[in-house]
Amino acid sequence: MLTPVALTGAAAMVTVTGRRVALAAMELSHWGVRTRALREFTDALSVELTVGARPVQAAEHAVAAVAQTPEARRRAGAGLVEQLRREVGRARLGGDVGVSGAGASGAGESTGDGTGEEVYQVLRLWSVAQRHGLALGQVMRRRVDGIEAQLTHLGHTSSALAGARLTEIILLLLPVGAMGIGQSMGVAPVGFLVGNVLGVLVLLAGILLACAGVLWVESLTVTVLGGVGGRAGPPELAAAGVLDVFAAALAAGLPV
């Protein structure tokens, strides 16, 4: 009776912990794919505008360029391309882009990884530039620089955290290795851990502490990377974006 209880409790804790870590890793992966696709779109849009293309035509060419990238072949990137196509189609029909707002369907649709808001901000820049006669190409170029800063920060931080993650894995494997050595020496630690009440309690307590440690490390990682939904910092880029728009407005001749 004790063995099924021990194995069930251990499997439940490991499954919950593994699921949370896997979801966090998947979220970060989707963020990277969508952000790289958004960078390609913004960069292509800036280049098209610089050579004199009209905004709608430039956006259509930019979406076509993004659709050919490796990111567009993944589900997260394909969703962003479709989202951009809808907004460009709305602009071609005379509608305003980026008017749906964050969290609604369309430009600001929630993706769970924060990129829906990033797309909304890019489209709002387009709308504001059209309304006030700003140099959209320059504004988009500044936005590309901001996205590049986010991706660079993510790469540097992930590299810096690689050592901590390796240490975490080694510490998790040490008890398993110790049990293997004990089993080979005839001490029979597995029988002790699943065969009596004290052993079951020790097993469950050890797995509970290990899972808590994994979740704690994951929490620290999320904090360093900028928080859930904005894992790739640097944080608070919105103020820099506002200053970019302000500078473009002044260059266009608008009063302060």
Side-chain angles (χ1 to χ4, degrees):
M1 182 63 183
L2 289 176
T3 300
V5 173
L7 295 179
T8 301
M13 287 187 287
V14 171
T15 300
V16 172
T17 303
R19 184 174 182 274
R20 291 192 60 177
V21 173
L23 287 176
M26 187 180 302
E27 176 187 318
L28 181 59
S29 175
H30 287 174
W31 184 95
V33 170
R34 288 177 62 91
T35 302
R36 287 192 295 272
L38 182 61
R39 177 194 59 189
E40 294 298 329
F41 169 79
T42 310
D43 188 31
L45 179 60
S46 172
V47 172
E48 291 282 341
L49 291 169
T50 301
V51 298
R54 297 177 58 188
V56 173
Q57 183 182 17
E60 289 175 340
H61 292 169
V63 172
V66 175
Q68 304 300 318
T69 61
E71 286 78 13
R73 290 192 286 270
R74 301 178 63 176
R75 186 176 66 177
L80 183 135
V81 171
E82 182 60 29
Q83 184 179 341
L84 291 172
R85 281 200 180 107
R86 289 198 304 267
E87 291 298 321
V88 173
R90 177 185 299 174
R92 176 163 287 283
L93 294 175
D96 289 333
V97 295
V99 297
S100 55
S105 62
E109 65 185 6
S110 177
T111 62
D113 54 20
T115 48
E117 177 63 23
E118 292 288 337
V119 175
Y120 172 72
Q121 291 176 7
V122 170
L123 296 173
R124 285 296 297 164
L125 286 177
W126 180 0
S127 178
V128 169
Q130 281 189 315
R131 188 178 306 118
H132 298 289
L134 309 185
L136 181 57
Q138 296 180 9
V139 173
M140 288 299 171
R141 172 49 53 188
R142 294 290 187 181
R143 191 62 191 169
V144 172
D145 294 340
I147 297 174
E148 286 283 1
Q150 288 182 303
L151 292 172
T152 300
H153 177 81
L154 174 63
H156 290 170
T157 307
S158 298
S159 299
L161 291 173
R165 289 194 176 278
L166 179 60
T167 301
E168 174 192 6
I169 294 173
I170 293 175
L171 291 176
L172 289 173
L173 292 178
L174 283 178
V176 178
M179 288 180 58
I181 294 174
Q183 199 72 23
S184 66
M185 296 174 61
V187 180
V190 176
F192 167 74
L193 291 175
V194 300
N196 62 77
V197 177
L198 179 60
V200 169
L201 292 177
V202 171
L203 174 65
L204 295 179
I207 293 179
L208 177 62
L209 291 174
C211 292
V214 170
L215 294 178
W216 181 51
V217 171
E218 176 64 21
S219 176
L220 293 177
T221 302
V222 170
T223 301
V224 172
L225 290 175
V228 175
R231 280 172 160 260
E236 304 301 333
L237 285 177
V242 170
L243 292 177
D244 288 337
V245 175
F246 181 65
L250 292 179
L254 296 179
V256 175

